[in-house]
Amino acid sequence: MDHTGLTIRRETPADYAAVETLIREAFWNVYRPGCLEHYVVHTFRGKPDFVPQLDLVLEREGQLIGHILYVRSHIQADDGRAIPTMTFGPISIHPAFQRQGYGKFLLDQSMEQARELGAGALCIEGNIAFYGKSGFVEGSSRGIRYFAKEEAPYFLLKELKEGFLTGITGVYRPPEGYFVDEQEAEAFDATFPPKVKRRLPGQLG
């Protein structure tokens, strides 16, 4: 992919409205009729586990086309320790630029910044077909369990520091900020221009 004209920078308050609109466009009717992701990002910015240094936008020749957000998380180890990790998401690319390599570019660049900030490992929920290309593996393959189910092939992790999780087994639970009140999310979405919600094949809920 040609990286000419691409810029990654920190999000500023002046970007909030445009970023939330971008996220809404990227996820509308993808996993459910409508979406919640723009509300998740809206509320996360004020939470203590939010990492402002890793609240990043991707621009192409000055046009906003992508966004990613990181938060602090942890693995509750079986030996009683809380192992610090980071979690990212949603990662959003405008529909006009999806499936062209921009998402992987934003992800890989942001993971390097997370490593430089001291993150030893990342834990996420996602599709191994996409994230495997950036070095993620199923958490169960490393002895880390997802809190809700014994088998969760969508729970993925990646060491940013080699050996960071060696010898560690435990349980990962997503940060509370990812669990939002759907009625509050609907009220927030009502402040945006109307869009048609559709029930489509392949949606999760």
Side-chain angles (χ1 to χ4, degrees), residues 21-193:
T21 297
L22 166 75
I23 297 167
R24 187 176 185 245
E25 291 295 323
F27 285 97
W28 194 259
N29 292 335
V30 173
Y31 295 116
R32 56 182 288 140
C35 69
L36 301 174
E37 284 81 0
H38 55 321
Y39 183 64
V40 169
V41 169
H42 178 76
T43 58
F44 244 137
R45 294 191 189 101
K47 296 185 182 298
D49 45 2
F50 168 65
V51 183
Q53 301 96 317
L54 296 173
D55 177 23
L56 304 171
V57 298
L58 172 64
E59 293 178 326
R60 179 177 181 271
E61 297 176 352
Q63 177 186 358
L64 175 69
I65 67 167
H67 173 263
I68 193 169
L69 171 149
Y70 281 70
V71 299
R72 300 191 186 280
S73 57
H74 71 276
I75 294 167
Q76 189 60 50
D78 292 330
D79 63 11
R81 291 180 294 162
I83 307 300
T85 58
M86 284 190 188
T87 299
F88 62 78
I91 178 170
S92 310
I93 300 295
H94 189 281
F97 296 93
Q98 291 177 2
R99 297 175 180 83
Q100 299 175 44
Y102 294 107
K104 187 176 187 304
F105 174 75
L106 177 57
L107 172 60
D108 290 348
Q109 296 296 314
S110 67
M111 288 195 300
E112 177 60 24
Q113 292 189 34
R115 187 189 63 78
E116 292 172 357
L117 277 176
L122 302 175
C123 294
I124 65 164
E125 296 159 274
N127 186 339
I128 190 67
F130 175 77
Y131 291 105
K133 298 174 184 176
S134 293
F136 283 83
V137 298
E138 292 187 16
S140 59
S141 72
R142 296 297 306 270
I144 309 300
R145 307 178 301 279
Y146 190 68
F147 82 107
K149 295 180 180 179
E150 285 298 315
E151 293 296 326
Y154 51 84
F155 166 52
L156 311 176
L157 61 79
K158 174 184 170 72
E159 283 187 330
L160 297 182
K161 297 178 181 177
E162 186 175 355
F164 183 78
L165 296 177
T166 298
I168 293 172
T169 61
V171 176
Y172 168 79
R173 177 186 174 89
E176 287 299 321
Y178 285 110
F179 303 96
V180 297
D181 183 290
E182 294 197 16
Q183 288 187 325
E184 293 177 0
E186 290 290 339
F188 175 71
D189 186 69
T191 67
F192 290 77

